Amino acid sequence: MSSASIYVAVLSPVVSLCVAVWGFRRTTRADRLKMFLDLQERYLASSARAGRRVMHQCLPGLTEETFDQLTEEQRRDLHHALAVMETIAIAWEAGHVEQSIILNAMGRSFSSAMHKSRSYIDYQAGLRGFRPYPRASRLAGELHRAIEAGASTPRTPRQVRPLTRVKEHLGM
């Protein structure tokens, strides 16, 4: 084997590894915003909303002994919503989404929904032998602490034009 072929055989995997690492580690703000929009679409989908509705309307009145009163459809919607929330938490931990956007867009809703479903998750942990949705529970705690600390204050746009100036600009 010639020295040139050895050089190519050694250098080729190194270059491909560097390109792969650089490509995967490179996450721009636009990529994080796109990921947020995808996650928000899932969070606002009708089945996830139905699951959060179960969390807020049905779960607070139930105890461990009465969770069997939930219908199969309610359980399905509930677990779907919890799975979506776990996905959001995984993206949050991995840094694939802009954390301040998650906090301001869905922080209160996420935190409240997880708080309402805590007893059901504890019940499921007893049945399964492991705690389901651990990242979502952790994220809900972080969001709650951030909200309590005042981190979720509404932000004003960089430039606000009075409505009259906008109308003048549009020729109205």
Side-chain angles (χ1 to χ4, degrees):
M1 199 191 274
S2 70
S3 64
S5 61
I6 293 174
Y7 180 72
V8 170
V10 170
L11 186 62
S12 178
V14 171
V15 169
S16 63
L17 182 64
C18 290
V19 169
V21 168
W22 180 76
F24 287 121
R25 294 293 301 162
R26 192 175 150 246
T27 303
T28 65
R29 184 169 167 86
D31 294 336
R32 290 191 304 270
L33 181 60
K34 182 183 181 317
M35 175 66 80
F36 164 75
L37 293 173
D38 291 343
L39 291 171
Q40 185 183 35
E41 186 176 325
R42 291 180 188 173
Y43 188 73
L44 297 176
S46 61
S47 59
R49 279 194 328 245
R52 288 194 310 279
R53 192 174 308 113
V54 170
M55 289 176 198
H56 288 287
Q57 293 176 354
C58 300
L59 290 184
L62 298 177
T63 62
E64 195 169 301
E65 295 80 27
T66 58
F67 282 134
D68 59 346
Q69 293 177 359
L70 292 173
T71 66
E72 187 61 35
E73 182 180 355
Q74 288 174 322
R75 288 175 198 258
R76 185 181 61 242
D77 290 340
L78 175 61
H79 284 280
H80 177 75
L82 287 167
V84 167
M85 294 170 81
E86 182 75 1
T87 302
I88 291 168
I90 290 168
W92 167 286
E93 284 184 3
H96 294 303
V97 292
E98 194 69 36
Q99 294 182 346
S100 63
I101 296 174
I102 294 278
L103 175 65
N104 289 314
M106 64 180 73
R108 289 186 190 278
S109 170
F110 192 104
S111 176
S112 174
M114 287 303 294
H115 176 73
K116 299 282 184 176
S117 61
R118 184 176 299 146
S119 61
Y120 183 77
I121 292 172
D122 292 342
Y123 170 71
Q124 287 294 310
L127 290 177
R128 296 178 182 188
F130 65 92
R131 185 161 186 82
Y133 317 112
R135 290 177 183 88
S137 297
R138 208 167 32 246
L139 176 56
E142 288 182 39
L143 292 172
H144 179 73
R145 285 187 295 280
I147 291 166
E148 290 296 313
S152 183
T153 57
R155 295 200 168 96
T156 57
R158 290 185 184 148
Q159 180 182 12
V160 178
R161 291 186 182 183
L163 187 57
T164 55
R165 289 193 61 203
V166 172
K167 287 181 177 179
E168 287 173 6
H169 179 72
L170 294 174
M172 299 173 113

